[in-house]
Amino acid sequence: MIHLEAVYHRASQQFCYALNEKILMVGLQTGEEVEQVWIHYGDPFSTGILGGNEAWEGSREEIVTKMRLPQHLWWEIPVQPPYKRCRYFFELQAGAERVFYFEDGFHSPEDVKNGQLGQCFTFPWMNPVDINVTPKWVRETVWYQIFPERFCNGNKENDPDWVKPWGYHTVSNLDFYGGDLDGIRQKLPYLQELGITGLYLTPLFESPSSHKYDTTDYRKIDPGFGDEETMKLLVKEAHDRGIRVMLDGVFNHCGSNFLPWRDVMEKGPQSPYYDWFMINRWPCREQEGSTRDGRYYSFAFAERMPKLNTSEKKVRDYFLDTVRYWIETFDIDGLRLDVANEISHLFCRELRQMTKQLKPDFYLLGEIWHDAMPWLGGDEFDAVMNYPFAAAIREFWYRPEKTKSDLEEAIHENLVRYMRQTTEVLFNLLDSHDTDRLIHQTGGNQDLFFQQLAMLFTMPGSPCIYYGTEIAIEGGADPDCRRCMPWDQIAQGNYAEVTEQVKQLIALRKEPAARSMEITFENNNSADRVVEYVKTGAEGSRLRVVLNASGKETDAETEGSVLFARGYENGVLRAGGVLVERL
């Protein structure tokens, strides 16, 4: 029996979209009992759209690409409408039962046979300007996130008076250690050798804090980090080494020392900046405590981070000019927007138009932890930070009752959440400055650490590691995840074995199959927690990945050339082992 309530499609968003100027991608969700699906499609002006008794003249094509999701199946097919517009419906088969699915509901085979078609789904026109185009370079990029204050102190002359001695230990957000832009510049050869091709730098602009998410001046590099010339030099030297640079834009809120906010605190409603913020009553003073009393809105009730009103044109214009300044002055390649889901959609659309005019392949990334389809239609962000992917990984590796089938379904759900061109540039990560460190999540277990990294580097999207991941740096939740990089110990070779294995995984991204969207989960091993999948890339390139999370050794005969192995010998993969080979 076909469960009609499980069948769903709409002619928009990730269910139906133009992949490029020729191909229309069509996806359909059904229940697990559906065995076969066909799509009937044709041009609207050749399929009875004008009324009367015109016969259906479209094509009928079986949808063969099928993915298992939690409680559902996902069917997907590319079609090429000859005239850039498409009218279509679906045919579903389960056992002896067959139904036809139209926009207005379900119809029997007899209805369709008699020409009694329902209201078809329609994609009106594949306008080139409306097609979601994402930067191609991001698909091949391996990102490295740097928290500048804790990465490397390269210039002690700009250290604050209260700077502490550099050291690898627990820290607080009130501590300063002198990390700066010169330090990042000096480590560019190290990063290039590691295989990094993209830098994501958390905020650089003037702020009283170590994290800089409470900006004082959006047009001034924080003096503790350097100056405008240092930043220009950093980007140029990074570009010379084939490394792109992405900055962090904090436009949802500012710091309490931001001059417009200070003006408002002094003058109240008479300030020309009063409408820049979301003040609910006046007088409105800063006081010890949060903003839960509602006197004004702020980031996460943080009193010293007042929320900016991006519905206000003057605010939008100010930040558009700010980003223009960053691009024209520093030649940056991308921008990550902090708390992107609270910024107005209008500002996001204007930001995209402006940045793409200045630099057509500019990368716009939003920090959104939940489903982000409203921001990913092609007129706002190119991608978001893929926290749902990280959650799917954690769910499998830290819950032993989960099976490889559960992981397969979770990965498939991530692959079909957005348009394909978006998925290819999603910012995949396993930890960040906002989470506990990956090795901390594993309880110090390097087997779990490397298994998850192996999946990170062989999934579609753009992988990112947080500074120090290459040495399995420790750290719990914020602020402990922001420890100083232990450069002295690195120079002594204390982490050489871990770093070499991470470098091997990073090198996997040079394999076309590693970046491919085409993934097939194999069922060759009977163990519930031995994960095996094959990635297929351009010109038939293939990668096989085997991850033994079963708790006991398993057979894993190689079929090609081994590119990465951990815990593998003579056809046996030990518990916690990893095998990646080119087929």
Side-chain angles (χ1 to χ4, degrees):
M1 175 181 174
I2 297 178
H3 296 287
L4 302 183
E5 68 277 8
V7 179
Y8 184 71
H9 175 83
R10 61 176 178 267
S12 63
Q13 299 187 336
Q14 73 271 39
F15 285 86
C16 184
Y17 60 92
L19 180 65
N20 51 46
E21 292 190 24
K22 294 183 178 180
I23 296 176
L24 192 68
M25 296 296 298
V26 182
L28 174 70
Q29 176 185 290
T30 74
E32 297 173 332
E33 75 286 349
V34 175
E35 298 168 349
Q36 286 180 285
V37 174
W38 293 264
I39 183 172
H40 296 249
Y41 69 96
D43 186 86
F45 292 92
S46 303
T47 52
I49 194 172
L50 300 179
N53 297 314
E54 295 96 333
W56 176 270
E57 295 179 5
S59 301
R60 177 180 185 262
E61 189 171 347
E62 185 173 4
I63 304 179
V64 296
T65 298
K66 176 176 63 173
M67 287 181 270
R68 291 193 300 112
L69 310 180
Q71 291 86 48
H72 293 93
L73 294 176
W74 177 270
W75 307 78
E76 188 173 74
I77 187 170
V79 299
Q80 294 194 41
Y83 303 104
K84 298 187 180 295
R85 57 195 174 212
C86 193
R87 188 175 185 232
Y88 59 98
F89 60 92
F90 301 97
E91 179 182 352
L92 287 67
Q93 181 83 37
E97 185 178 4
R98 179 173 301 212
V99 298
F100 290 81
Y101 178 40
F102 291 79
E103 189 175 66
D104 62 351
F106 298 92
H107 293 259
S108 69
E110 291 75 21
D111 288 341
V112 175
K113 183 178 179 180
N114 295 329
Q116 298 175 3
L117 302 182
Q119 173 65 46
C120 290
F121 295 101
T122 301
F123 195 91
W125 192 265
M126 299 166 67
N127 285 297
V129 72
D130 295 329
I131 296 173
N132 184 8
V133 178
T134 54
K136 292 182 179 179
W137 62 267
V138 179
R139 303 171 194 178
E140 302 178 3
T141 299
V142 175
W143 294 97
Y144 189 90
Q145 181 189 356
I146 292 178
F147 189 84
E149 216 285 320
R150 307 287 165 72
F151 182 65
C152 181
N153 188 339
N155 183 359
K156 294 187 180 298
E157 292 183 2
N158 59 29
D159 288 356
D161 293 338
W162 51 90
V163 72
K164 292 187 174 184
W166 198 270
Y168 178 47
H169 46 66
T170 57
V171 297
S172 83
N173 280 328
L174 300 178
D175 298 332
F176 288 78
Y177 295 91
D180 52 30
L181 298 180
D182 277 321
I184 300 173
R185 284 181 55 223
Q186 293 168 17
K187 298 302 179 182
L188 286 176
Y190 167 87
L191 297 172
Q192 184 181 22
E193 173 66 22
L194 195 60
I196 299 304
T197 54
L199 292 183
Y200 156 40
L201 308 178
T202 56
L204 303 178
F205 297 93
E206 187 177 41
S207 154
S209 69
S210 60
H211 54 73
K212 310 301 178 193
Y213 282 97
D214 51 347
T215 311
T216 296
D217 190 337
Y218 290 88
R219 311 284 176 92
K220 180 183 179 182
I221 298 291
D222 191 274
F225 288 165
D227 56 23
E228 187 176 278
E229 295 306 313
T230 318
M231 182 59 188
K232 289 179 183 178
L233 201 55
L234 169 60
V235 176
K236 181 184 183 303
E237 291 178 358
H239 286 171
D240 290 345
R241 294 180 180 275
I243 299 174
R244 309 260 188 163
V245 179
M246 177 168 66
L247 296 189
D248 209 330
V250 189
F251 306 146
N252 173 69
H253 55 272
C254 63
S256 61
N257 292 327
F258 184 45
L259 286 180
W261 178 250
R262 297 265 41 98
D263 194 78
V264 170
M265 289 294 97
E266 178 184 345
K267 302 174 183 175
Q270 284 69 49
S271 169
Y273 302 106
Y274 191 80
D275 291 338
W276 281 42
F277 304 95
M278 298 185 179
I279 299 172
N280 296 317
R281 61 176 181 266
W282 186 264
C284 168
R285 300 299 180 190
E286 294 168 318
Q287 54 195 17
E288 292 300 321
S290 75
T291 59
R292 289 181 183 274
D293 61 2
R295 64 190 185 281
Y296 62 87
Y297 294 127
S298 66
F299 167 67
F301 302 118
E303 185 181 62
R304 299 186 68 81
M305 291 186 178
K307 189 172 176 65
L308 290 153
N309 182 11
T310 51
S311 296
E312 171 64 39
K313 187 177 187 304
K314 291 179 181 179
V315 175
R316 299 198 309 273
D317 287 346
Y318 172 80
F319 285 111
L320 291 175
D321 288 342
T322 296
V323 175
R324 183 180 294 107
Y325 160 72
W326 293 351
I327 295 174
E328 293 178 342
T329 305
F330 305 124
D331 193 27
I332 59 171
D333 305 286
L335 184 66
R336 178 254 193 194
L337 271 72
D338 187 59
V339 199
N341 56 345
E342 294 189 28
I343 299 170
S344 73
H345 287 280
L346 176 57
F347 173 74
C348 295
R349 288 192 291 269
E350 291 176 344
L351 179 66
R352 182 184 182 89
Q353 291 176 356
M354 187 272 292
T355 56
K356 298 295 183 178
Q357 287 175 357
L358 288 175
K359 213 169 190 178
D361 65 350
F362 195 79
Y363 181 48
L364 278 175
L365 174 69
E367 183 208 12
I368 299 178
W369 292 55
H370 51 80
D371 181 82
M373 193 64 236
W375 291 267
L376 296 173
D379 59 345
E380 295 188 43
F381 304 140
D382 292 306
V384 291
M385 302 180 80
N386 198 1
Y387 282 106
F389 168 77
I393 299 296
R394 286 197 304 271
E395 185 80 0
F396 175 77
W397 263 278
Y398 304 139
R399 293 185 59 183
E401 72 274 15
K402 292 291 183 177
T403 69
K404 60 187 178 185
S405 294
D406 295 321
L407 178 62
E408 174 186 355
E409 292 172 359
I411 293 298
H412 284 163
E413 190 170 42
N414 272 276
L415 293 180
V416 303
R417 188 185 303 274
Y418 307 122
M419 302 179 193
R420 179 176 287 243
Q421 56 266 51
T422 300
T423 302
E424 289 177 333
V425 298
L426 284 175
F427 195 83
N428 292 345
L429 71 167
L430 298 175
D431 58 0
S432 73
H433 68 290
D434 285 324
T435 74
D436 47 350
R437 290 276 185 171
L438 177 59
I439 193 66
H440 185 86
Q441 296 172 29
T442 71
N445 187 321
Q446 288 194 8
D447 287 340
L448 297 180
F449 176 82
F450 278 106
Q451 285 189 331
Q452 293 177 63
L453 284 177
M455 179 158 265
L456 173 70
F457 283 107
T458 54
M459 284 289 116
S462 197
C464 176
I465 59 173
Y466 188 32
Y467 78 97
T469 296
E470 71 276 17
I471 62 171
I473 194 171
E474 256 291 348
D478 169 18
D480 195 33
C481 58
R482 303 170 181 182
R483 298 186 187 186
C484 295
M485 190 79 161
W487 291 111
D488 289 344
Q489 295 95 313
I490 292 172
Q492 294 167 11
N494 294 4
Y495 307 99
E497 183 178 349
V498 173
T499 301
E500 180 57 34
Q501 290 181 309
V502 173
K503 284 173 64 176
Q504 292 175 27
L505 288 173
I506 291 174
L508 288 176
R509 295 302 289 185
K510 296 179 181 178
E511 300 286 326
R515 305 188 297 269
S516 169
M517 285 280 292
E518 309 308 321
I519 179 171
T520 303
F521 284 86
E522 306 286 351
N523 295 309
N524 298 330
N525 195 296
S526 59
D528 276 345
R529 288 181 60 82
V530 175
V531 179
E532 181 178 354
Y533 55 91
V534 174
K535 296 289 302 299
T536 303
E539 300 178 359
S541 60
R542 301 172 74 214
L543 282 183
R544 175 178 175 243
V545 181
V546 186
L547 308 170
N548 184 5
S550 69
K552 57 185 177 181
E553 67 179 29
T554 188
D555 293 334
E557 294 292 338
T558 56
E559 304 173 27
S561 56
V562 176
L563 300 177
F564 179 84
R566 180 181 166 86
Y568 178 77
E569 188 175 1
N570 299 324
V572 176
L573 189 63
R574 69 164 170 81
V578 180
L579 171 65
V580 183
E581 62 177 331
R582 183 192 297 120
L583 299 178

Tab-separated table of all heavy atoms in Angstrom, residues 490-523:
chain	number	residue	atom	x	y	z
A	490	ILE	N	55.304	21.904	18.742
A	490	ILE	CA	55.226	21.506	17.339
A	490	ILE	C	56.626	21.467	16.738
A	490	ILE	O	56.993	20.517	16.027
A	490	ILE	CB	54.317	22.479	16.556
A	490	ILE	CG1	52.866	22.332	17.008
A	490	ILE	CG2	54.435	22.240	15.049
A	490	ILE	CD1	51.928	23.365	16.431
A	491	ALA	N	57.447	22.491	17.042
A	491	ALA	CA	58.814	22.542	16.520
A	491	ALA	C	59.654	21.373	17.026
A	491	ALA	O	60.577	20.915	16.344
A	491	ALA	CB	59.465	23.869	16.908
A	492	GLN	N	59.339	20.883	18.209
A	492	GLN	CA	60.080	19.756	18.774
A	492	GLN	C	59.609	18.413	18.223
A	492	GLN	O	60.182	17.372	18.556
A	492	GLN	CB	59.925	19.769	20.299
A	492	GLN	CG	60.576	20.972	20.976
A	492	GLN	CD	60.141	21.128	22.419
A	492	GLN	OE1	59.515	20.229	22.993
A	492	GLN	NE2	60.443	22.284	23.019
A	493	GLY	N	58.585	18.440	17.350
A	493	GLY	CA	58.101	17.219	16.728
A	493	GLY	C	57.171	16.396	17.582
A	493	GLY	O	56.927	15.219	17.290
A	494	ASN	N	56.594	17.012	18.628
A	494	ASN	CA	55.736	16.269	19.553
A	494	ASN	C	54.457	15.734	18.908
A	494	ASN	O	53.879	14.771	19.393
A	494	ASN	CB	55.360	17.150	20.745
A	494	ASN	CG	56.551	17.514	21.603
A	494	ASN	OD1	57.680	17.167	21.275
A	494	ASN	ND2	56.305	18.204	22.705
A	495	TYR	N	54.028	16.384	17.835
A	495	TYR	CA	52.752	16.003	17.211
A	495	TYR	C	52.941	15.512	15.774
A	495	TYR	O	51.977	15.458	15.006
A	495	TYR	CB	51.802	17.202	17.201
A	495	TYR	CG	51.608	17.859	18.542
A	495	TYR	CD1	52.301	19.018	18.879
A	495	TYR	CD2	50.731	17.328	19.469
A	495	TYR	CE1	52.117	19.639	20.111
A	495	TYR	CE2	50.537	17.937	20.711
A	495	TYR	CZ	51.242	19.091	21.016
A	495	TYR	OH	51.059	19.697	22.234
A	496	ALA	N	54.166	15.139	15.414
A	496	ALA	CA	54.488	14.858	14.018
A	496	ALA	C	53.630	13.741	13.433
A	496	ALA	O	53.167	13.828	12.290
A	496	ALA	CB	55.968	14.510	13.882
A	497	GLU	N	53.379	12.690	14.195
A	497	GLU	CA	52.625	11.549	13.665
A	497	GLU	C	51.183	11.942	13.364
A	497	GLU	O	50.639	11.612	12.296
A	497	GLU	CB	52.645	10.397	14.669
A	497	GLU	CG	51.950	9.141	14.150
A	497	GLU	CD	52.010	7.988	15.136
A	497	GLU	OE1	52.766	8.094	16.135
A	497	GLU	OE2	51.295	6.994	14.910
A	498	VAL	N	50.551	12.665	14.291
A	498	VAL	CA	49.172	13.106	14.069
A	498	VAL	C	49.110	14.046	12.869
A	498	VAL	O	48.250	13.908	11.990
A	498	VAL	CB	48.622	13.804	15.326
A	498	VAL	CG1	47.249	14.427	15.032
A	498	VAL	CG2	48.512	12.818	16.473
A	499	THR	N	50.036	15.001	12.816
A	499	THR	CA	50.032	15.979	11.724
A	499	THR	C	50.212	15.310	10.373
A	499	THR	O	49.542	15.682	9.396
A	499	THR	CB	51.147	17.017	11.945
A	499	THR	OG1	50.931	17.670	13.200
A	499	THR	CG2	51.150	18.055	10.842
A	500	GLU	N	51.086	14.327	10.287
A	500	GLU	CA	51.306	13.642	9.013
A	500	GLU	C	50.044	12.935	8.542
A	500	GLU	O	49.709	12.951	7.354
A	500	GLU	CB	52.446	12.633	9.160
A	500	GLU	CG	52.765	11.867	7.876
A	500	GLU	CD	53.104	12.773	6.699
A	500	GLU	OE1	53.716	13.839	6.913
A	500	GLU	OE2	52.744	12.417	5.558
A	501	GLN	N	49.305	12.340	9.457
A	501	GLN	CA	48.070	11.656	9.070
A	501	GLN	C	46.987	12.656	8.644
A	501	GLN	O	46.232	12.395	7.707
A	501	GLN	CB	47.585	10.786	10.229
A	501	GLN	CG	48.476	9.579	10.461
A	501	GLN	CD	47.976	8.695	11.587
A	501	GLN	OE1	47.699	9.157	12.690
A	501	GLN	NE2	47.850	7.416	11.315
A	502	VAL	N	46.905	13.803	9.332
A	502	VAL	CA	45.951	14.829	8.915
A	502	VAL	C	46.314	15.356	7.532
A	502	VAL	O	45.437	15.583	6.680
A	502	VAL	CB	45.893	15.976	9.951
A	502	VAL	CG1	45.025	17.121	9.437
A	502	VAL	CG2	45.351	15.475	11.287
A	503	LYS	N	47.602	15.547	7.265
A	503	LYS	CA	48.052	15.989	5.939
A	503	LYS	C	47.628	15.002	4.862
A	503	LYS	O	47.221	15.397	3.759
A	503	LYS	CB	49.570	16.154	5.921
A	503	LYS	CG	50.082	17.405	6.602
A	503	LYS	CD	51.589	17.425	6.696
A	503	LYS	CE	52.248	17.474	5.330
A	503	LYS	NZ	53.718	17.600	5.441
A	504	GLN	N	47.714	13.718	5.156
A	504	GLN	CA	47.288	12.707	4.183
A	504	GLN	C	45.797	12.821	3.891
A	504	GLN	O	45.365	12.675	2.734
A	504	GLN	CB	47.619	11.318	4.707
A	504	GLN	CG	49.106	11.002	4.791
A	504	GLN	CD	49.360	9.648	5.427
A	504	GLN	OE1	48.528	8.747	5.366
A	504	GLN	NE2	50.517	9.506	6.064
A	505	LEU	N	45.011	13.084	4.918
A	505	LEU	CA	43.574	13.237	4.712
A	505	LEU	C	43.266	14.501	3.915
A	505	LEU	O	42.394	14.495	3.036
A	505	LEU	CB	42.851	13.267	6.061
A	505	LEU	CG	42.781	11.936	6.806
A	505	LEU	CD1	42.204	12.125	8.193
A	505	LEU	CD2	41.949	10.915	6.019
A	506	ILE	N	43.970	15.584	4.210
A	506	ILE	CA	43.780	16.813	3.444
A	506	ILE	C	44.115	16.586	1.978
A	506	ILE	O	43.414	17.069	1.078
A	506	ILE	CB	44.641	17.949	4.031
A	506	ILE	CG1	44.094	18.369	5.406
A	506	ILE	CG2	44.673	19.156	3.103
A	506	ILE	CD1	44.955	19.374	6.135
A	507	ALA	N	45.159	15.805	1.721
A	507	ALA	CA	45.573	15.532	0.343
A	507	ALA	C	44.507	14.767	-0.434
A	507	ALA	O	44.477	14.820	-1.674
A	507	ALA	CB	46.889	14.748	0.334
A	508	LEU	N	43.617	14.077	0.285
A	508	LEU	CA	42.546	13.344	-0.398
A	508	LEU	C	41.649	14.261	-1.221
A	508	LEU	O	41.017	13.830	-2.182
A	508	LEU	CB	41.686	12.588	0.616
A	508	LEU	CG	42.291	11.365	1.296
A	508	LEU	CD1	41.332	10.818	2.334
A	508	LEU	CD2	42.619	10.289	0.263
A	509	ARG	N	41.579	15.547	-0.828
A	509	ARG	CA	40.695	16.472	-1.546
A	509	ARG	C	41.156	16.716	-2.967
A	509	ARG	O	40.408	17.267	-3.778
A	509	ARG	CB	40.595	17.798	-0.790
A	509	ARG	CG	39.931	17.670	0.554
A	509	ARG	CD	38.543	17.101	0.486
A	509	ARG	NE	37.553	17.995	-0.083
A	509	ARG	CZ	36.257	17.737	-0.142
A	509	ARG	NH1	35.776	16.597	0.305
A	509	ARG	NH2	35.424	18.605	-0.674
A	510	LYS	N	42.381	16.337	-3.287
A	510	LYS	CA	42.835	16.450	-4.673
A	510	LYS	C	42.198	15.394	-5.566
A	510	LYS	O	42.254	15.500	-6.792
A	510	LYS	CB	44.360	16.331	-4.725
A	510	LYS	CG	45.090	17.453	-3.995
A	510	LYS	CD	46.600	17.265	-4.066
A	510	LYS	CE	47.314	18.380	-3.313
A	510	LYS	NZ	48.794	18.205	-3.311
A	511	GLU	N	41.618	14.368	-4.953
A	511	GLU	CA	40.925	13.323	-5.704
A	511	GLU	C	39.544	13.838	-6.119
A	511	GLU	O	38.740	14.215	-5.265
A	511	GLU	CB	40.766	12.063	-4.847
A	511	GLU	CG	42.073	11.457	-4.367
A	511	GLU	CD	42.797	10.747	-5.491
A	511	GLU	OE1	42.132	10.173	-6.371
A	511	GLU	OE2	44.042	10.777	-5.495
A	512	PRO	N	39.248	13.868	-7.423
A	512	PRO	CA	37.922	14.357	-7.856
A	512	PRO	C	36.769	13.624	-7.177
A	512	PRO	O	35.740	14.225	-6.870
A	512	PRO	CB	37.943	14.102	-9.368
A	512	PRO	CG	39.391	14.092	-9.738
A	512	PRO	CD	40.100	13.490	-8.562
A	513	ALA	N	36.952	12.344	-6.914
A	513	ALA	CA	35.872	11.566	-6.300
A	513	ALA	C	35.578	12.031	-4.879
A	513	ALA	O	34.439	11.937	-4.412
A	513	ALA	CB	36.230	10.082	-6.306
A	514	ALA	N	36.592	12.543	-4.169
A	514	ALA	CA	36.383	12.988	-2.787
A	514	ALA	C	35.399	14.145	-2.734
A	514	ALA	O	34.627	14.278	-1.786
A	514	ALA	CB	37.708	13.379	-2.154
A	515	ARG	N	35.425	15.002	-3.741
A	515	ARG	CA	34.561	16.191	-3.754
A	515	ARG	C	33.197	15.912	-4.394
A	515	ARG	O	32.308	16.752	-4.351
A	515	ARG	CB	35.259	17.311	-4.527
A	515	ARG	CG	36.647	17.655	-4.011
A	515	ARG	CD	37.207	18.886	-4.690
A	515	ARG	NE	37.401	18.721	-6.120
A	515	ARG	CZ	38.520	18.294	-6.683
A	515	ARG	NH1	39.557	17.956	-5.924
A	515	ARG	NH2	38.633	18.198	-7.991
A	516	SER	N	33.051	14.746	-4.992
A	516	SER	CA	31.853	14.442	-5.766
A	516	SER	C	30.602	14.312	-4.904
A	516	SER	O	30.664	13.944	-3.735
A	516	SER	CB	32.081	13.139	-6.551
A	516	SER	OG	30.878	12.664	-7.109
A	517	MET	N	29.452	14.579	-5.522
A	517	MET	CA	28.163	14.388	-4.866
A	517	MET	C	27.714	12.931	-4.915
A	517	MET	O	26.777	12.549	-4.213
A	517	MET	CB	27.096	15.251	-5.558
A	517	MET	CG	27.176	16.726	-5.254
A	517	MET	SD	26.454	17.149	-3.660
A	517	MET	CE	24.716	16.816	-3.965
A	518	GLU	N	28.350	12.136	-5.760
A	518	GLU	CA	27.886	10.765	-5.981
A	518	GLU	C	28.475	9.841	-4.919
A	518	GLU	O	29.672	9.591	-4.888
A	518	GLU	CB	28.277	10.287	-7.379
A	518	GLU	CG	27.891	11.247	-8.502
A	518	GLU	CD	26.424	11.658	-8.462
A	518	GLU	OE1	25.575	10.795	-8.161
A	518	GLU	OE2	26.124	12.832	-8.725
A	519	ILE	N	27.620	9.323	-4.053
A	519	ILE	CA	28.054	8.452	-2.970
A	519	ILE	C	27.143	7.234	-2.895
A	519	ILE	O	25.921	7.354	-2.970
A	519	ILE	CB	28.076	9.211	-1.624
A	519	ILE	CG1	28.496	8.299	-0.473
A	519	ILE	CG2	26.742	9.877	-1.338
A	519	ILE	CD1	28.745	9.037	0.827
A	520	THR	N	27.759	6.064	-2.788
A	520	THR	CA	27.007	4.811	-2.680
A	520	THR	C	27.453	4.088	-1.420
A	520	THR	O	28.632	3.727	-1.285
A	520	THR	CB	27.241	3.904	-3.899
A	520	THR	OG1	26.898	4.606	-5.091
A	520	THR	CG2	26.407	2.632	-3.795
A	521	PHE	N	26.552	3.872	-0.506
A	521	PHE	CA	26.861	3.115	0.698
A	521	PHE	C	26.745	1.622	0.384
A	521	PHE	O	25.699	1.151	-0.068
A	521	PHE	CB	25.918	3.500	1.835
A	521	PHE	CG	26.249	4.822	2.462
A	521	PHE	CD1	25.761	6.001	1.924
A	521	PHE	CD2	27.060	4.882	3.582
A	521	PHE	CE1	26.070	7.226	2.495
A	521	PHE	CE2	27.378	6.103	4.162
A	521	PHE	CZ	26.887	7.277	3.619
A	522	GLU	N	27.820	0.896	0.614
A	522	GLU	CA	27.862	-0.525	0.338
A	522	GLU	C	27.412	-1.312	1.569
A	522	GLU	O	27.494	-0.843	2.696
A	522	GLU	CB	29.287	-0.951	-0.046
A	522	GLU	CG	29.890	-0.162	-1.196
A	522	GLU	CD	29.301	-0.549	-2.549
A	522	GLU	OE1	28.547	-1.538	-2.598
A	522	GLU	OE2	29.595	0.134	-3.539
A	523	ASN	N	26.957	-2.550	1.333
A	523	ASN	CA	26.550	-3.428	2.424
A	523	ASN	C	27.338	-4.727	2.390
A	523	ASN	O	26.804	-5.809	2.620
A	523	ASN	CB	25.045	-3.720	2.335
A	523	ASN	CG	24.203	-2.478	2.549
A	523	ASN	OD1	24.407	-1.766	3.523
A	523	ASN	ND2	23.266	-2.212	1.658
